[in-house]
Structure formats: C-alpha cells, structure tokens
Amino acid sequence: MSRKLPTSDGGDELLARLGSLTAQARERAEFQRSQVELAIALQRGMLPDELPSAPGFDVAVQYAPACHGLNVGGDWYDAFALPDGRIGLSIGDVQGHNIEAAAFMGQVRVVLRALASVTGDPGELLERTNDLILSIGSDLFATCAFMRLDPATGMLEGARAGHIPCVWASADGKSGVIEDDGGPPLGIEPGTRYPVTRHRLTTGGVIVLLTDGVVEGPSMPVDEGLDQVVRLAGVAAVAGLSAGSLASAAIKGAERVGHEDDAAVLVVRHGPPTLRLR
C-alpha cells in the first residue's frame, strides 16, 4: 500500500494553521494570567493594612490567596474599631473565583464596615447587609461571620451567615467550636434573621475566625479540618502562644487539606503572649 505525502503547499498551510492556534492559545493564557494578577491586586488592595489594638488583647491575621491554576477566590478578613470603643471582626467568602468575586468581596466588606457604625449588633448588622446586597441585584452571594468584641469585659457577640463556625480555646486546656444556629449566606433570602451568640474570652483565651480554605479540601473533610484547628488553638492557649503564632500554625495546617481556595485566619487572644514562635 502506498502512502500519499502531503504537497508542499498543504504542509505550509498546516504549519501556518498550527502557528495561528498556538498564538491564540498563548494570548488566552496571557489574558487569563493578567486577570488573576488583577484580581489578586484587587483583593490585597481591599484588605486592611493595619489591625486595631486594645489593651490586653493581641490580634493577628494570616491570609493565603488560592492562585490554583488560573482561579482566584473572594475571601476577606477585617478588624476595625467601632464608635463605642468595641472592635468589629469579620471574615467571609464570596461565591466564585474571578475578578467579579474579588470586587464583590470588597463591596461586602465596605458595607459591613459602614453599617457597623450605625448598628454594632451582629445579628442586625448581617440582616441589613443581606437586604442591601439583595437590593443591588447581584447574582453573587457571600458567607460571613461577624463578631463584636468588648475589650473592657472580654465579651464577644457574634452571628453567622452560612459561614463555618469559629473556634475557641481557654488557658485551662479546654477548646471547641462555638455552637450557634447561624443563618443562610448573605444575598440569598430577603428578611432573614441571624441569631446572636455570646462568648466570654477569659485571660489567656483565644478565638479563631477562619474561612473554609483552612479546613476543607480534597485531602480533608471540614469536620476533620475544624478538629485540627481546635487542637492547635488548645495547645496555643495552654502554651501562651501569641495570636500571630497561632494564625501562622493554622494557615500552615491548611496545606494538609489540599485546598484550592483562599485561606484566611483571624485570631484574637486575651492577654499578652508568654511565648512567640519564630
């Protein structure tokens, strides 16, 4: 059987076509990379540069953007002083992995800050934020946990909107997950109510707010991931580790879950640390 070889003109046409396809693929890859870089810059530009301070309290954060392939998430964290001297703490995750999600994250964070100056009550704050997001008409939604800390008493008041629960630990070795009912994510149902849960942070105690990228991934289910952070928080509280050391340990543990999402950890410790890890 004889095999017919392509003519010179046919070969040149094939090479030209392959070259054109390669150039198009390169352009698409460059465009997607630029989109990721823009989204990351957008994220970092919208997150706070400084955290508030209060006598007797240590606040720290760790944040790792996903950057898995050409995706980027919409996680955020925030901590800010309220008009009455208390401190607002928020952490959350926007649906989606693109520039739109990163921009929407910034909007939600700004809305929370603005409304917190009007009402610091966590439940009412999430209710108003949910109504405002729905009025915008966006197709996106966000999970969120918001807490209000009173430095004078160590009292924490918090509410959740579809977000994973917070972790606590005390200096006597006790630790666990804050049990609360919570409500649906922001931007899903109009007229939603968000129950408020109270927790007192005693001297040496810690509270950990985190996103699901820290505790859930292909290598680890969320319950196991939360147990991992509970153990870390318990050890840190007993050892007197700084908030920064605990936040670093938690974000390091996120590597074991094989996460493909952003990972954010916000830690508050009551009392000066007795030990800092380097």
Side-chain angles (χ1 to χ4, degrees), residues 87-174:
I87 295 175
L89 306 162
S90 76
I91 198 162
D93 183 5
V94 171
Q95 166 216 14
H97 297 83
N98 50 34
I99 289 180
E100 186 180 5
F104 188 68
M105 171 271 288
Q107 291 178 318
V108 176
R109 175 178 165 267
V110 168
V111 166
L112 284 168
R113 273 205 178 210
L115 291 178
S117 65
V118 178
T119 173
D121 177 82
E124 185 178 352
L125 176 60
L126 293 187
E127 291 169 20
R128 292 192 179 192
T129 303
N130 178 60
D131 291 340
L132 185 56
I133 290 174
L134 286 168
S135 70
I136 294 172
S138 173
D139 292 331
L140 297 177
F141 62 86
T143 68
C144 173
F146 182 87
M147 285 191 163
R148 179 173 62 173
L149 168 66
D150 185 350
T153 63
M155 180 62 71
L156 281 158
E157 300 170 291
R160 285 190 304 129
H163 203 70
I164 59 175
C166 302
V167 170
W168 65 272
S170 55
D172 61 3
K174 297 178 182 178

Side-chain angles (χ1 to χ4, degrees), residues 26-237:
R26 186 181 297 112
E27 288 176 3
R28 283 195 295 268
E30 290 295 333
F31 175 75
Q32 289 175 313
R33 273 193 291 270
S34 67
Q35 293 286 91
V36 170
E37 291 171 0
L38 178 58
I40 292 174
L42 197 58
Q43 281 180 314
R44 291 177 175 167
M46 292 179 177
L47 296 175
D49 294 326
E50 297 181 358
L51 300 176
S53 60
F57 287 86
D58 183 22
V59 183
V61 67
Q62 284 287 332
Y63 176 74
C67 300
H68 178 77
L70 295 173
N71 288 330
V72 63
D75 287 19
W76 85 84
Y77 63 86
D78 202 3
F80 51 93
L82 294 169
D84 61 4
R86 285 182 276 196
I87 295 175
L89 306 162
S90 76
I91 198 162
D93 183 5
V94 171
Q95 166 216 14
H97 297 83
N98 50 34
I99 289 180
E100 186 180 5
F104 188 68
M105 171 271 288
Q107 291 178 318
V108 176
R109 175 178 165 267
V110 168
V111 166
L112 284 168
R113 273 205 178 210
L115 291 178
S117 65
V118 178
T119 173
D121 177 82
E124 185 178 352
L125 176 60
L126 293 187
E127 291 169 20
R128 292 192 179 192
T129 303
N130 178 60
D131 291 340
L132 185 56
I133 290 174
L134 286 168
S135 70
I136 294 172
S138 173
D139 292 331
L140 297 177
F141 62 86
T143 68
C144 173
F146 182 87
M147 285 191 163
R148 179 173 62 173
L149 168 66
D150 185 350
T153 63
M155 180 62 71
L156 281 158
E157 300 170 291
R160 285 190 304 129
H163 203 70
I164 59 175
C166 302
V167 170
W168 65 272
S170 55
D172 61 3
K174 297 178 182 178
S175 60
V177 172
I178 292 182
E179 301 291 342
D180 58 1
D181 293 332
L186 302 172
I188 297 292
E189 298 178 13
T192 300
R193 297 291 178 263
Y194 297 91
V196 175
T197 300
R198 291 167 177 81
H199 177 87
R200 187 177 297 278
L201 199 58
T202 56
T203 302
V206 298
I207 194 82
V208 184
L209 289 74
L210 64 167
T211 59
D212 56 7
V214 180
V215 295
E216 184 179 23
S219 304
M220 189 176 294
V222 63
D223 289 342
E224 188 177 338
L226 276 172
D227 287 342
Q228 177 177 273
V229 176
V230 167
R231 289 192 296 271
L232 279 174
V235 170

